[in-house]
């Protein structure tokens, strides 16, 4: 009799938990969409960067709801803590002509709207389809106490997906080398520093000692007093 009383109580707790998760999901999703729209519509680049930080935080919250703690922490540490802070410093240090950037907004707005509409239609077709939709996906079960999300992700990356992982690493390395090569192109008005020439410099090349005879002012006497 006591067991029969506990079953409805447990189901009620699970229902209230799912309702709270759904509320958090829609709240974070709304914040993410609003922040993303603010990134592309903000007139101040600093405001756009701060809104992008808010979008990253909302995305990390959604990852936490999916029980992907490692990806959520990585998103906050890498993108918010490193990439976006660096980007924000660069934006604040550069003298960006905001008025000039606003000139092409209305000109490219129809084309951007068409591209955005096509992307929304494609994503909607994928989500509502039977093969790629999420209608049949159930709520993930509760994980045991000793479960490590980082360990499971590492096992998948370095065993089943090791070749795609290595290929992605090589592609990123090629992109870094290409960016450095494009930056170090010879230009007429660019100044370059040769480290080998700096190390091999001699004292005589930098300092020249000139022997000059001392002269007295006309109003001074021989003992140096005026």
């Amino acid at each position: 009799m006591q067991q029969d009383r506990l079953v409805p109580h447990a189901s009620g707790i699970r229902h209230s938990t799912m309702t709270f998760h759904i509320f958090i999901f829609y709240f974070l999703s709304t914040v993410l969409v609003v922040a993303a729209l603010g990134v592309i519509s903000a007139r101040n680049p600093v405001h756009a960067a701060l809104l992008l930080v808010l979008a990253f935080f909302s995305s990390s919250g959604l990852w936490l709801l999916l029980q992907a703690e490692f990806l959520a922490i990585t998103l906050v540490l890498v993108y918010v803590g490193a990439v976006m802070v660096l980007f924000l410093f660069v934006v604040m240090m550069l003298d960006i002509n905001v008025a000039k950037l606003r000139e092409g907004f209305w000109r490219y707005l129809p084309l951007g709207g068409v591209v955005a509409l096509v992307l929304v239609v494609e994503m909607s077709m994928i989500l509502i389809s039977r093969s790629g939709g999420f209608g049949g996906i159930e709520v993930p079960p509760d994980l045991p106490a000793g479960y490590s999300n980082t360990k499971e992700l590492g096992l998948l990356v370095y065993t089943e997906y090791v070749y795609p992982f290595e290929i992605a690493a090589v592609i990123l390395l090629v992109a870094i080398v290409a960016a450095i090569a494009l930056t170090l192109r010879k230009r007429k008005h660019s100044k370059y520093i040769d480290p080998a020439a700096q190390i091999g410099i001699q004292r005589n090349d930098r300092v020249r000692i000139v022997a000059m005879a001392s002269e007295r002012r006309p109003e001074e006497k021989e003992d140096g007093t005026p």
Side-chain angles (χ1 to χ4, degrees), residues 28 32 37 64 68 76 98 100 110 113 131 142-143 149 160 188 201 209 211 215 219:
L28 293 177
L32 177 59
L37 292 176
L64 287 176
V76 172
V98 182
K100 187 176 181 180
S131 59
D142 296 333
L143 300 176
N149 191 275
E160 185 176 354
K188 296 181 179 179
I201 199 68
I209 301 176
E215 297 180 357
E219 62 275 8

Side-chain angles (χ1 to χ4, degrees), residues 46-67:
V46 178
H47 294 169
L50 293 177
L51 288 172
L52 189 56
V53 171
L54 178 61
F56 284 149
F57 270 110
S58 302
S59 300
S60 65
L62 294 177
W63 281 114
L64 287 176
L65 290 179
L66 295 175
Q67 299 180 0

Side-chain angles (χ1 to χ4, degrees), residues 178-190:
I180 295 175
L182 291 175
T183 305
L184 295 179
R185 290 183 299 176
K186 296 294 182 180
R187 298 177 182 176
K188 296 181 179 179
H189 303 288
S190 298

Side-chain angles (χ1 to χ4, degrees), residues 1-6:
M1 187 69 179
Q2 186 177 0
Q3 185 177 2
D4 296 337
R5 293 179 180 178
L6 292 177

